[in-house]
Amino acid sequence: TLKTAPPNVARVDYTNGVAELLLEPESTQICEYNFFEGVESSNVIGWSNASYNTYLFKQSKYPNAYKIGFLANSLDTRDFLSQTNVSITNGTTYCFSAEVEVVTEVSAINNMINIIGGSGLSFRLNGVDVPSSENVPKGNHIVECYFTPSTSTDVTLRVGVGVNTDSNGKVYFDLVQFETSPYRTSWIPNNSSSIVTRSADSITNFGSSQIIDSQSGILLFEGSCFANSSNIISLSNTANNNNKVIVKFDGTDISLGVRASSTSRYKTQSYENGNNVKGCVKWSGTSFESFVNGVSIGTDVLNSAIPQDEFNTLRFTYTSTSSPFYGRVRQVKHLPYNTDISKL
């Protein structure tokens, strides 16, 4: 069952088997009627069909919604649902995705989920890019189809199964989503003919200069980032941007460093979005050392030391609003300088 939270309450997610604070950017659900209402009578509201079989259905994770199932057949035919005349805009990245329950291996991923009329399509299986011909094995998975159109046009969204000789093959689709995002975000319910937008998650500043030693210490971050633009966690001052300790993700790298007297220095290592990582910045006076997963990635010297009582906040941004961090957070800590890095 999906869990929901009221406004202004942190979203704690257990997808990876541990508690993680989930921070997501704004996303717009374009897919209409993604509850699959009417599937029990084979008249699915908001979708057209090319069905050669009776639809299968189960209760969705979401109340009052359904999983829709397709039965593969030996008639050299395709069985699918379509949503037509979906408008897309040049230069915007879109992701069409669903959770699937595959009873037996029934189809290549591009037969299970596709954007008809979309060019340059890419596919992911459980967050990993795969060829369009990749067969989806038995089990529970997340399938994604994403692209950035070069022209504004209308496309058709399609879920189902392709040609198969196994008449017992079954696959169920749940929590279908077509959104303005390069990757699947948490499901946005939409049981209407309108689009629905989920606002970005944000965290306000918190901390106190009485407990944050700005002249030395360790900033520890553990979690994962899944946005491609600059994503920053920082120890800083709400009144100025002259001095900071920073953990930064930019889509291909993780950078850890210190900004002193308006000059920033980092140590950088390659990073793949979505992977859990533990990063540390250890600083004292005019020097710092950066660590990734307990291993030093380098040291550097600052132009000057950070003044005492300079830090009064921990931000999930660079300034109060710029470069917000989007991802999953397992822990963020400010620790004494003499803490043993190997034990973190």
Side-chain angles (χ1 to χ4, degrees):
T1 301
L2 290 181
K3 292 185 177 181
T4 59
N8 301 318
V9 172
R11 292 196 290 163
V12 180
D13 185 78
Y14 292 87
T15 299
N16 295 320
V18 296
E20 296 176 314
L21 175 65
L22 178 61
L23 299 169
E24 293 184 307
E26 178 181 287
S27 187
T28 297
Q29 168 71 283
I30 303 170
C31 183
E32 303 173 358
Y33 296 104
N34 62 356
F35 280 34
F36 288 139
E37 281 192 340
V39 63
E40 71 275 24
S41 62
S42 297
N43 181 26
V44 185
I45 297 172
W47 297 77
S48 58
N49 66 70
S51 177
Y52 298 90
N53 303 288
T54 301
Y55 291 125
L56 311 169
F57 68 97
K58 292 182 179 181
Q59 176 62 50
S60 168
K61 291 181 178 180
Y62 192 82
N64 303 318
Y66 293 95
K67 292 182 180 182
I68 187 167
F70 298 90
L71 182 66
N73 58 74
S74 57
L75 302 177
D76 288 333
T77 55
R78 298 175 185 270
D79 196 7
F80 54 82
L81 280 180
S82 297
Q83 195 165 111
T84 59
N85 300 317
V86 179
S87 297
I88 58 172
T89 303
N90 170 35
T92 300
T93 301
Y94 296 88
C95 182
F96 185 33
S97 63
E99 293 188 14
V100 295
E101 176 190 350
V102 180
V103 180
T104 61
E105 186 178 295
V106 294
S107 194
I109 191 170
N110 68 336
N111 281 331
M112 296 179 68
I113 190 163
N114 210 319
I115 303 170
I116 308 304
S119 60
L121 302 179
S122 298
F123 295 84
R124 293 192 195 99
L125 178 60
N126 299 323
V128 178
D129 284 286
V130 295
S132 60
S133 58
E134 181 84 4
N135 279 344
V136 181
K138 180 179 179 180
N140 294 296
H141 308 281
I142 293 175
V143 292
E144 299 173 70
C145 175
Y146 64 99
F147 78 126
T148 304
S150 57
T151 58
S152 298
T153 186
D154 288 348
V155 296
T156 295
L157 309 179
R158 179 179 290 180
V159 293
V161 292
V163 176
N164 198 289
T165 57
D166 182 359
S167 60
N168 296 313
K170 296 178 183 178
V171 58
Y172 289 89
F173 289 80
D174 196 14
L175 309 183
V176 171
Q177 182 144 295
F178 184 56
E179 60 186 310
T180 52
S181 171
Y183 49 84
R184 178 178 173 86
T185 66
S186 57
W187 190 59
I188 304 171
N190 183 18
N191 202 27
S192 73
S193 59
S194 302
I195 64 174
V196 177
T197 297
R198 182 193 60 236
S199 299
D201 294 311
S202 62
I203 296 180
T204 55
N205 303 335
F206 60 94
S208 168
S209 59
Q210 296 177 350
I211 59 173
I212 301 177
D213 181 358
S214 56
Q215 292 187 312
S216 67
I218 296 172
L219 175 61
L220 164 67
F221 169 85
E222 183 181 6
S224 58
C225 179
F226 43 63
N228 289 324
S229 57
S230 181
N231 291 255
I232 289 177
I233 301 100
S234 64
L235 276 176
S236 56
N237 190 300
T238 53
N240 66 73
N241 295 307
N242 299 331
N243 302 288
K244 297 175 182 289
V245 179
I246 300 169
V247 178
K248 179 173 70 172
F249 297 85
D250 65 7
T252 57
D253 298 307
I254 177 174
S255 300
L256 305 107
V258 177
R259 179 177 176 83
S261 299
S262 300
T263 299
S264 301
R265 299 188 186 279
Y266 298 98
K267 293 301 172 183
T268 298
Q269 181 166 299
S270 60
Y271 171 78
E272 184 175 347
N273 280 351
N275 288 343
N276 188 71
V277 65
K278 188 179 290 185
C280 294
V281 184
K282 182 176 183 179
W283 81 98
S284 179
T286 58
S287 65
F288 74 91
E289 186 172 9
S290 300
F291 298 81
V292 173
N293 295 327
V295 178
S296 175
I297 61 171
T299 62
D300 209 338
V301 177
L302 307 170
N303 291 343
S304 62
I306 296 174
Q308 181 62 35
D309 298 328
E310 173 70 3
F311 296 153
N312 62 6
T313 187
L314 172 65
R315 288 172 164 162
F316 284 80
T317 55
Y318 184 73
T319 64
S320 59
T321 58
S322 67
S323 302
F325 174 83
Y326 295 122
R328 301 176 185 274
V329 182
R330 296 191 182 183
Q331 58 175 332
V332 180
K333 294 180 179 179
H334 173 260
L335 300 167
Y337 180 80
N338 60 3
T339 302
D340 187 348
I341 295 290
S342 67
K343 296 182 179 179
L344 296 179

